Amino acid sequence: PEWSRLQDHKAEMENTHLRDLLKDSNRSGAMYAEHDGVYLDYSRQRANMKTLKLLQDLAKRQKLEDRIKAMLSGEKINFTEDRAVLHTALRADRSEKVYVDGENVIEEVHQVLDQIKAFTEGVRSGSIRGYTGKRLRNIISVGIGGSYLGPEFLHEVLKTEPEGVNS
C-alpha cells in the first residue's frame, strides 16, 4: 500500500512545476539534510513534504533501517553470492571494527588498500614496469557488470584530472 500511495502521489505531482514549489519558503527551508559536513539540498526536486512522508512510510515498510544495520554489522545481505557487502569496510578508518562471521575484516581490507596504493604509486613513479621493462602507459580493464563500474568511474575522473591524464 505504501508503494501505491507513492505512485498516486507521483500522478498528483505530475503537473506541478518546480518553479511553483520553490516559491514556498517553508518547503524549501525544510527540504535539506546535513551530516558530517555534507549538505544535501533536495528542494530542487519535484517533491514536497507529503512526498517525503510517503518515502519514509515506504522505507519503514521495507525495514530499511534494519537493512542498513544488517549491512553495517557485516551480515550476509548479498544473497546471490551469500556474503556480506563490505562497502563500509572499504571506507572505514583502520581503528574501526567491521565484523563478518565474527572476525574484524578491517585489517585485511587495509592490507589490500595498502597494496593497491603501493601498486598505483609504483606505476605512476615508473618503479613498476611492464614485461619489456618500459613504463606502463596504457591499461586495459576487462570486467562485467558491477565489477566494471569502479574502473569506469576512475577513468571518468582521471581523464579530466591533469596529473591523471599525464600519468
Side-chain angles (χ1 to χ4, degrees):
E2 289 81 5
W3 182 251
S4 294
R5 284 194 286 274
L6 198 54
Q7 286 179 310
D8 292 343
H9 177 66
K10 179 186 179 284
E12 292 170 18
M13 296 295 289
E14 242 5 82
N15 295 320
T16 305
H17 198 283
L18 181 59
R19 176 180 48 243
D20 297 324
L21 291 170
L22 289 171
K23 289 178 184 176
D24 182 349
S25 59
N26 289 333
R27 174 200 162 273
S28 295
M31 295 192 72
Y32 76 93
E34 188 172 6
H35 180 73
D36 213 13
V38 176
Y39 181 83
L40 303 171
D41 178 359
Y42 40 92
S43 65
R44 269 74 177 159
Q45 300 300 313
R46 196 170 2 161
N48 59 23
M49 300 310 288
K50 181 178 178 182
T51 313
L52 296 183
K53 168 82 170 81
L54 292 170
L55 287 168
Q56 289 169 346
D57 291 346
L58 181 61
K60 285 177 188 164
R61 172 67 173 230
Q62 294 298 101
K63 299 181 178 148
L64 180 60
E65 193 172 320
D66 292 341
R67 291 173 185 227
I68 291 170
K69 286 178 184 174
M71 179 182 70
L72 294 174
S73 68
E75 286 184 35
K76 294 180 180 179
I77 62 169
N78 179 337
F79 301 112
T80 58
E81 297 178 24
D82 189 33
R83 66 185 192 103
V85 294
L86 297 176
H87 305 85
T88 55
L90 286 171
R91 292 163 182 81
D93 187 81
R94 290 179 193 271
S95 63
E96 293 182 45
K97 294 184 180 348
V98 175
Y99 290 94
V100 175
D101 293 332
E103 290 192 38
N104 183 10
V105 296
I106 295 298
E107 186 177 330
E108 183 180 353
V109 166
H110 276 276
Q111 285 175 353
V112 173
L113 290 174
D114 291 343
Q115 289 173 331
I116 292 169
K117 184 176 182 181
F119 176 77
T120 56
E121 287 175 351
V123 169
R124 282 189 173 139
S125 71
S127 66
I128 293 178
R129 297 181 174 262
Y131 175 76
T132 62
K134 295 180 183 175
R135 286 186 75 155
L136 297 171
R137 299 181 41 88
N138 300 298
I139 296 171
I140 298 173
S141 175
V142 179
I144 59 169
S147 66
Y148 186 70
L149 288 176
E152 184 177 2
F153 290 155
L154 182 62
H155 173 261
E156 285 299 313
V157 168
L158 291 178
K159 77 180 186 182
T160 60
E161 195 260 339
E163 186 179 342
V165 170
N166 296 323
S167 293

